[in-house]
Protein backbone atom coordinates (compact mmCIF):
# COMPACT_ATOMS: atom_id res chain seq x y z
CA UNK A 1 0.00 0.00 0.00
CA UNK A 2 1.05 3.62 -0.49
CA UNK A 3 1.88 5.62 2.64
CA UNK A 4 3.58 8.83 3.71
CA UNK A 5 6.13 7.96 6.40
CA UNK A 6 9.34 9.05 8.09
CA UNK A 7 12.57 7.25 9.02
CA UNK A 8 13.81 9.99 11.34
CA UNK A 9 12.35 12.84 13.36
CA UNK A 10 12.63 16.36 11.99
CA UNK A 11 10.96 18.93 9.79
CA UNK A 12 8.29 18.40 7.12
CA UNK A 13 10.94 17.21 4.67
CA UNK A 14 11.35 13.90 6.55
CA UNK A 15 7.88 12.76 5.40
CA UNK A 16 8.23 10.91 2.09
CA UNK A 17 6.01 8.64 -0.05
CA UNK A 18 6.77 4.92 -0.02
CA UNK A 19 5.25 1.44 -0.14
CA UNK A 20 4.66 -0.62 3.02
CA UNK A 21 2.74 -3.86 3.74
CA UNK A 22 -0.93 -3.62 4.68
CA UNK A 23 -1.08 -4.07 8.50
CA UNK A 24 -2.57 -7.21 10.03
CA UNK A 25 -5.43 -6.67 12.46
CA UNK A 26 -5.99 -8.14 15.92
CA UNK A 27 -9.32 -9.47 17.19
CA UNK A 28 -10.31 -6.08 18.64
CA UNK A 29 -9.29 -4.05 15.56
CA UNK A 30 -10.68 -3.11 12.17
CA UNK A 31 -8.78 -2.48 8.97
CA UNK A 32 -9.72 0.94 7.63
CA UNK A 33 -9.63 1.66 3.91
CA UNK A 34 -8.67 5.32 4.22
CA UNK A 35 -10.42 7.91 2.08
CA UNK A 36 -9.28 11.08 3.82
CA UNK A 37 -6.98 11.82 6.76
CA UNK A 38 -6.75 14.90 8.94
CA UNK A 39 -3.56 16.93 9.25
CA UNK A 40 -3.14 18.43 12.72
CA UNK A 41 -0.60 19.93 15.07
CA UNK A 42 -0.35 16.58 16.89
CA UNK A 43 0.93 15.04 13.64
CA UNK A 44 3.67 17.67 13.51
CA UNK A 45 4.58 16.93 17.13
CA UNK A 46 4.85 13.21 16.33
CA UNK A 47 7.00 14.03 13.32
CA UNK A 48 9.31 15.93 15.70
CA UNK A 49 9.57 12.97 18.09
CA UNK A 50 6.83 13.80 20.60
CA UNK A 51 3.56 11.95 21.28
CA UNK A 52 5.01 8.79 19.69
CA UNK A 53 2.88 5.71 20.49
CA UNK A 54 4.46 3.02 22.63
CA UNK A 55 5.63 0.20 20.42
CA UNK A 56 5.85 2.32 17.27
CA UNK A 57 8.99 2.07 15.13
CA UNK A 58 10.44 3.45 11.91
CA UNK A 59 9.25 3.77 9.26
CA UNK A 60 6.68 5.78 11.22
CA UNK A 61 3.36 6.61 9.53
CA UNK A 62 1.72 9.73 11.05
CA UNK A 63 -1.99 10.41 11.28
CA UNK A 64 -4.40 10.23 14.21
CA UNK A 65 -7.75 10.74 12.50
CA UNK A 66 -9.36 9.63 9.27
CA UNK A 67 -12.52 8.57 7.50
CA UNK A 68 -13.15 5.72 5.11
CA UNK A 69 -14.71 2.29 4.87
CA UNK A 70 -14.24 -0.85 6.95
CA UNK A 71 -12.15 -3.31 4.92
CA UNK A 72 -11.87 -6.09 7.53
CA UNK A 73 -13.17 -6.76 11.05
CA UNK A 74 -11.47 -8.59 13.94
CA UNK A 75 -13.14 -11.59 15.50
CA UNK A 76 -14.20 -9.82 18.70
CA UNK A 77 -15.52 -6.65 17.04
CA UNK A 78 -19.28 -6.04 17.17
CA UNK A 79 -21.41 -3.29 15.67
CA UNK A 80 -19.19 -2.79 12.62
CA UNK A 81 -19.20 -4.70 9.35
CA UNK A 82 -17.17 -4.65 6.16
CA UNK A 83 -18.30 -1.75 3.98
CA UNK A 84 -19.45 0.55 6.79
CA UNK A 85 -18.50 4.20 6.25
CA UNK A 86 -16.77 5.33 9.45
CA UNK A 87 -14.50 7.91 11.04
CA UNK A 88 -11.70 7.32 13.53
CA UNK A 89 -9.76 9.22 16.19
CA UNK A 90 -6.91 7.04 17.44
CA UNK A 91 -3.76 8.59 18.89
CA UNK A 92 -2.13 5.22 19.62
CA UNK A 93 -1.90 3.38 16.24
CA UNK A 94 1.35 1.47 16.97
CA UNK A 95 0.96 -0.33 13.62
CA UNK A 96 0.97 2.98 11.75
CA UNK A 97 -1.27 6.02 11.42
CA UNK A 98 -3.69 7.14 8.74
CA UNK A 99 -1.34 8.71 6.21
CA UNK A 100 -1.82 5.43 4.35
CA UNK A 101 -4.21 3.59 2.06
CA UNK A 102 -5.00 1.16 4.90
CA UNK A 103 -4.62 1.37 8.68
CA UNK A 104 -5.36 -0.92 11.63
CA UNK A 105 -7.18 0.69 14.54
CA UNK A 106 -8.91 -0.48 17.71
CA UNK A 107 -12.66 -0.62 17.14
CA UNK A 108 -13.36 1.44 20.29
CA UNK A 109 -12.06 4.52 18.46
CA UNK A 110 -14.32 4.03 15.43
CA UNK A 111 -17.81 5.41 14.79
CA UNK A 112 -20.15 5.19 11.85
CA UNK A 113 -20.22 8.44 9.93
CA UNK A 114 -23.43 10.35 10.64
CA UNK A 115 -25.62 11.66 7.85
CA UNK A 116 -24.75 15.12 6.62
CA UNK A 117 -20.96 14.85 6.88
CA UNK A 118 -19.39 13.84 3.55
CA UNK A 119 -16.67 11.23 3.83
CA UNK A 120 -14.58 13.47 1.55
CA UNK A 121 -14.25 15.96 4.46
CA UNK A 122 -14.85 13.74 7.50
CA UNK A 123 -11.23 12.69 7.91
CA UNK A 124 -10.41 16.21 9.09
CA UNK A 125 -13.04 16.17 11.83
CA UNK A 126 -12.63 13.48 14.51
CA UNK A 127 -9.82 14.58 16.83
CA UNK A 128 -10.69 18.28 16.75
CA UNK A 129 -14.41 17.63 17.19
CA UNK A 130 -13.85 15.32 20.16
CA UNK A 131 -11.44 17.84 21.70
CA UNK A 132 -13.97 20.65 21.24
CA UNK A 133 -16.60 18.47 22.92
CA UNK A 134 -14.24 17.91 25.88
CA UNK A 135 -13.80 21.66 26.14
CA UNK A 136 -17.54 22.21 26.31
CA UNK A 137 -17.76 19.44 28.91
CA UNK A 138 -15.06 21.17 30.97
CA UNK A 139 -17.07 24.39 30.99
CA UNK A 140 -20.39 22.60 31.69
CA UNK A 141 -22.45 25.69 30.84
CA UNK A 142 -26.25 25.58 31.09
CA UNK A 143 -28.47 26.33 28.12
CA UNK A 144 -28.75 30.06 27.53
CA UNK A 145 -25.29 30.85 28.94
CA UNK A 146 -22.87 33.08 27.06
CA UNK A 147 -19.74 31.38 25.68
CA UNK A 148 -16.78 33.21 24.20
CA UNK A 149 -14.66 31.15 21.77
CA UNK A 150 -11.19 32.49 20.93
CA UNK A 151 -9.69 30.96 17.80
CA UNK A 152 -13.20 30.25 16.58
CA UNK A 153 -12.32 29.95 12.90
CA UNK A 154 -9.56 27.36 13.45
CA UNK A 155 -9.79 23.60 13.20
CA UNK A 156 -11.15 22.98 16.68
CA UNK A 157 -12.82 26.36 17.03
CA UNK A 158 -15.16 26.20 14.03
CA UNK A 159 -16.40 22.80 15.19
CA UNK A 160 -16.82 24.09 18.76
CA UNK A 161 -19.06 26.89 17.47
CA UNK A 162 -21.43 24.36 15.93
CA UNK A 163 -21.39 21.97 18.90
CA UNK A 164 -22.01 24.86 21.32
CA UNK A 165 -25.05 26.04 19.37
CA UNK A 166 -26.42 22.49 19.53
CA UNK A 167 -26.14 22.77 23.33
CA UNK A 168 -28.25 25.93 23.18
CA UNK A 169 -25.42 28.26 24.19
CA UNK A 170 -25.09 31.86 23.07
CA UNK A 171 -21.79 32.07 21.21
CA UNK A 172 -19.46 35.02 20.79
CA UNK A 173 -16.89 33.86 18.22
CA UNK A 174 -13.58 35.70 17.99
CA UNK A 175 -12.09 34.66 14.65
CA UNK A 176 -9.09 35.52 12.47
CA UNK A 177 -9.65 38.17 9.82
CA UNK A 178 -12.60 38.82 7.56
CA UNK A 179 -12.54 35.27 6.14
CA UNK A 180 -12.67 33.79 9.63
CA UNK A 181 -15.48 36.11 10.70
CA UNK A 182 -17.49 35.14 7.63
CA UNK A 183 -16.97 31.44 8.41
CA UNK A 184 -18.16 31.56 12.03
CA UNK A 185 -21.10 33.76 11.08
CA UNK A 186 -22.15 31.18 8.50
CA UNK A 187 -21.81 28.45 11.14
CA UNK A 188 -24.27 30.13 13.50
CA UNK A 189 -22.29 32.29 15.94
CA UNK A 190 -24.54 34.85 17.63
CA UNK A 191 -21.79 37.48 17.56
CA UNK A 192 -18.76 37.27 15.24
CA UNK A 193 -15.73 39.45 15.93
CA UNK A 194 -12.30 39.86 14.36
CA UNK A 195 -9.51 39.12 16.82
CA UNK A 196 -7.12 41.09 14.60
CA UNK A 197 -9.12 44.26 15.22
CA UNK A 198 -9.03 46.79 18.06
CA UNK A 199 -9.43 44.74 21.26
CA UNK A 200 -11.08 47.63 23.09
CA UNK A 201 -13.80 47.59 20.44
CA UNK A 202 -14.04 43.79 20.66
CA UNK A 203 -14.46 43.90 24.45
CA UNK A 204 -17.03 46.70 24.17
CA UNK A 205 -19.08 44.62 21.74
CA UNK A 206 -18.95 41.63 24.09
CA UNK A 207 -20.15 43.79 27.00
CA UNK A 208 -23.09 44.95 24.89
CA UNK A 209 -24.46 41.41 24.61
CA UNK A 210 -23.21 40.11 27.98
CA UNK A 211 -23.16 43.12 30.36
CA UNK A 212 -22.25 40.94 33.35
CA UNK A 213 -19.56 39.09 31.44
CA UNK A 214 -19.52 35.82 29.56
CA UNK A 215 -19.99 32.63 31.57
CA UNK A 216 -17.17 30.72 29.91
CA UNK A 217 -14.26 31.19 27.54
CA UNK A 218 -13.00 28.42 25.28
CA UNK A 219 -9.43 29.31 24.26
CA UNK A 220 -7.82 27.62 21.27
CA UNK A 221 -4.73 29.85 21.48
CA UNK A 222 -2.80 31.75 24.14
CA UNK A 223 -0.98 35.05 24.33
CA UNK A 224 -1.69 38.71 24.92
CA UNK A 225 -4.97 38.72 22.97
CA UNK A 226 -6.36 35.93 25.15
CA UNK A 227 -5.27 37.75 28.31
CA UNK A 228 -7.30 40.77 27.21
CA UNK A 229 -10.32 38.69 26.20
CA UNK A 230 -10.28 37.03 29.62
CA UNK A 231 -11.38 40.42 30.99
CA UNK A 232 -14.80 39.61 29.50
CA UNK A 233 -15.30 36.56 31.77
CA UNK A 234 -17.60 37.23 34.69
CA UNK A 235 -16.57 36.58 38.28
CA UNK A 236 -17.08 32.88 38.90
CA UNK A 237 -16.67 32.07 35.21
CA UNK A 238 -14.29 29.56 33.68
CA UNK A 239 -11.61 29.70 30.99
CA UNK A 240 -10.95 26.28 29.45
CA UNK A 241 -8.14 25.47 27.04
CA UNK A 242 -6.78 22.31 25.40
CA UNK A 243 -3.47 21.03 26.72
CA UNK A 244 -0.71 22.28 24.47
CA UNK A 245 -1.87 25.89 24.19
CA UNK A 246 1.16 28.12 24.65
CA UNK A 247 1.67 30.30 26.53
CA UNK A 248 -0.68 28.85 29.09
CA UNK A 249 -3.53 31.24 29.93
CA UNK A 250 -2.96 33.57 32.87
CA UNK A 251 -5.01 33.08 35.99
CA UNK A 252 -6.80 35.90 37.76
CA UNK A 253 -8.87 36.12 40.95
CA UNK A 254 -12.50 35.15 40.43
CA UNK A 255 -11.90 33.13 37.26
CA UNK A 256 -11.18 29.40 37.08
CA UNK A 257 -8.78 28.11 34.43
CA UNK A 258 -9.01 24.49 33.35
CA UNK A 259 -7.02 22.47 30.82
CA UNK A 260 -8.56 19.55 28.96
CA UNK A 261 -7.77 16.80 26.45
CA UNK A 262 -9.95 15.23 23.82
CA UNK A 263 -11.29 11.77 24.57
CA UNK A 264 -11.96 9.08 22.00
CA UNK A 265 -14.18 6.31 23.34
CA UNK A 266 -17.56 4.81 22.45
CA UNK A 267 -19.48 7.14 24.77
CA UNK A 268 -17.94 10.33 23.44
CA UNK A 269 -18.25 9.17 19.83
CA UNK A 270 -21.93 8.44 20.41
CA UNK A 271 -22.49 11.88 21.97
CA UNK A 272 -20.65 13.57 19.11
CA UNK A 273 -22.79 11.80 16.53
CA UNK A 274 -25.98 12.80 18.34
CA UNK A 275 -24.93 16.45 18.30
CA UNK A 276 -23.84 16.33 14.66
CA UNK A 277 -27.15 14.79 13.61
CA UNK A 278 -29.12 17.59 15.29
CA UNK A 279 -28.73 19.79 12.22
CA UNK A 280 -26.48 20.78 9.32
CA UNK A 281 -22.83 20.32 10.26
CA UNK A 282 -19.86 21.59 8.31
CA UNK A 283 -16.23 20.50 8.38
CA UNK A 284 -14.49 23.44 6.75
CA UNK A 285 -11.48 22.29 4.75
CA UNK A 286 -9.09 25.10 3.90
CA UNK A 287 -6.90 23.03 1.61
CA UNK A 288 -6.57 19.45 0.37
CA UNK A 289 -3.34 17.62 -0.41
CA UNK A 290 -2.85 14.24 -2.07
CA UNK A 291 -1.09 11.64 0.08
CA UNK A 292 2.17 12.12 -1.83
CA UNK A 293 2.27 15.77 -0.78
CA UNK A 294 1.99 15.18 2.97
CA UNK A 295 5.22 17.10 3.57
CA UNK A 296 3.69 20.12 1.87
CA UNK A 297 0.63 19.81 4.10
CA UNK A 298 2.90 19.91 7.15
CA UNK A 299 4.55 23.07 5.85
CA UNK A 300 1.08 24.58 5.44
CA UNK A 301 0.41 23.71 9.10
CA UNK A 302 2.91 26.39 10.06
CA UNK A 303 0.80 29.14 8.43
CA UNK A 304 -2.61 30.67 9.16
CA UNK A 305 -5.81 29.35 7.57
CA UNK A 306 -9.47 28.84 8.56
CA UNK A 307 -10.72 25.36 9.39
CA UNK A 308 -8.69 22.24 8.67
CA UNK A 309 -6.13 20.70 6.32
CA UNK A 310 -6.88 17.35 4.70
CA UNK A 311 -5.02 14.54 2.96
CA UNK A 312 -7.02 12.88 0.18
CA UNK A 313 -6.01 9.25 -0.05
CA UNK A 314 -8.78 8.00 -2.42
Amino acid sequence: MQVAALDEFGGPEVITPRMLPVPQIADDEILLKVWTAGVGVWDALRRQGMLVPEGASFPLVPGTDAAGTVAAVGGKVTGLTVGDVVYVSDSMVPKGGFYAEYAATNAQYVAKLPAGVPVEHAGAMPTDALTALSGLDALALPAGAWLLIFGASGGQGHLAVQLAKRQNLNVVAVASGTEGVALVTRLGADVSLDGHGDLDDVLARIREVAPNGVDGLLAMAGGATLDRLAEAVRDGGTLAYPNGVQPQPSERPGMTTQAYDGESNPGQLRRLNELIEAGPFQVHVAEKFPLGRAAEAHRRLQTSYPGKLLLTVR
Side-chain angles (χ1 to χ4, degrees), residues 163-241:
L163 296 174
K165 291 307 300 177
R166 283 159 166 72
Q167 295 184 8
N168 297 312
L169 300 177
N170 297 305
V171 174
V172 178
V174 176
S176 296
T178 55
E179 187 179 4
V181 169
L183 173 62
V184 296
T185 300
R186 187 168 69 248
L187 297 179
D190 298 279
V191 180
S192 305
L193 303 170
D194 187 354
H196 294 165
D198 186 302
L199 288 181
D200 289 331
D201 291 343
V202 170
L203 287 167
R205 180 71 181 107
I206 296 171
R207 293 189 191 101
E208 286 179 11
V209 297
N212 298 321
V214 297
D215 302 288
L217 196 169
L218 201 54
M220 311 307 180
T225 299
L226 175 61
D227 290 341
R228 285 296 313 279
L229 290 175
E231 298 173 15
V233 180
R234 65 168 175 81
D235 284 344
T238 301
L239 185 161
Y241 64 97

Side-chain angles (χ1 to χ4, degrees), residues 30 70 80 86-89 105-112 264 269:
I30 65 126
V70 177
L80 295 170
V86 298
Y87 67 92
V88 186
S89 176
T105 180
N106 192 296
Q108 68 176 322
Y109 305 126
V110 181
K112 292 181 181 179
S264 183
L269 290 166

Side-chain angles (χ1 to χ4, degrees), residues 10-279:
E13 70 280 354
V14 301
I15 305 176
T16 58
R18 67 193 61 200
M19 299 292 289
L20 289 178
V22 174
Q24 299 296 307
I25 59 171
D27 283 345
D28 58 354
E29 294 178 330
I30 65 126
L31 183 67
L32 180 71
K33 183 177 183 179
V34 181
W35 286 41
T36 56
V39 180
V41 63
W42 42 86
D43 298 329
L45 292 172
R46 184 161 298 174
R47 188 198 73 225
Q48 295 164 6
M50 295 169 274
L51 305 179
V52 178
E54 184 177 351
S57 60
F58 292 121
L60 185 66
V61 179
T64 64
D65 49 0
T69 52
V70 177
V73 177
K76 295 182 179 179
V77 174
T78 60
L80 295 170
T81 59
V82 172
D84 284 344
V85 180
V86 298
Y87 67 92
V88 186
S89 176
D90 183 357
S91 62
M92 304 307 292
V93 287
K95 298 177 182 178
F98 300 107
Y99 289 17
E101 291 185 301
Y102 291 92
T105 180
N106 192 296
Q108 68 176 322
Y109 305 126
V110 181
K112 292 181 181 179
L113 186 65
V117 181
V119 68
E120 291 82 3
H121 291 172
M125 175 191 73
T127 300
D128 271 322
L130 288 165
T131 306
L133 183 57
S134 289
L136 294 169
D137 289 346
L139 291 172
L141 299 177
W146 278 96
L147 169 65
L148 172 61
I149 301 178
F150 175 49
S153 53
Q156 186 186 150
H158 85 286
L159 301 174
V161 169
Q162 298 173 80
L163 296 174
K165 291 307 300 177
R166 283 159 166 72
Q167 295 184 8
N168 297 312
L169 300 177
N170 297 305
V171 174
V172 178
V174 176
S176 296
T178 55
E179 187 179 4
V181 169
L183 173 62
V184 296
T185 300
R186 187 168 69 248
L187 297 179
D190 298 279
V191 180
S192 305
L193 303 170
D194 187 354
H196 294 165
D198 186 302
L199 288 181
D200 289 331
D201 291 343
V202 170
L203 287 167
R205 180 71 181 107
I206 296 171
R207 293 189 191 101
E208 286 179 11
V209 297
N212 298 321
V214 297
D215 302 288
L217 196 169
L218 201 54
M220 311 307 180
T225 299
L226 175 61
D227 290 341
R228 285 296 313 279
L229 290 175
E231 298 173 15
V233 180
R234 65 168 175 81
D235 284 344
T238 301
L239 185 161
Y241 64 97
N243 278 306
V245 164
Q246 294 294 333
Q248 290 187 359
S250 302
E251 297 188 7
R252 66 165 172 80
M255 182 184 74
T256 301
T257 59
Q258 183 173 344
Y260 62 89
D261 289 310
E263 294 182 39
S264 183
N265 57 57
Q268 285 294 85
L269 290 166
R270 184 166 51 252
R271 289 183 60 216
L272 178 60
N273 273 3
E274 290 171 353
L275 288 167
I276 288 173
E277 291 173 338

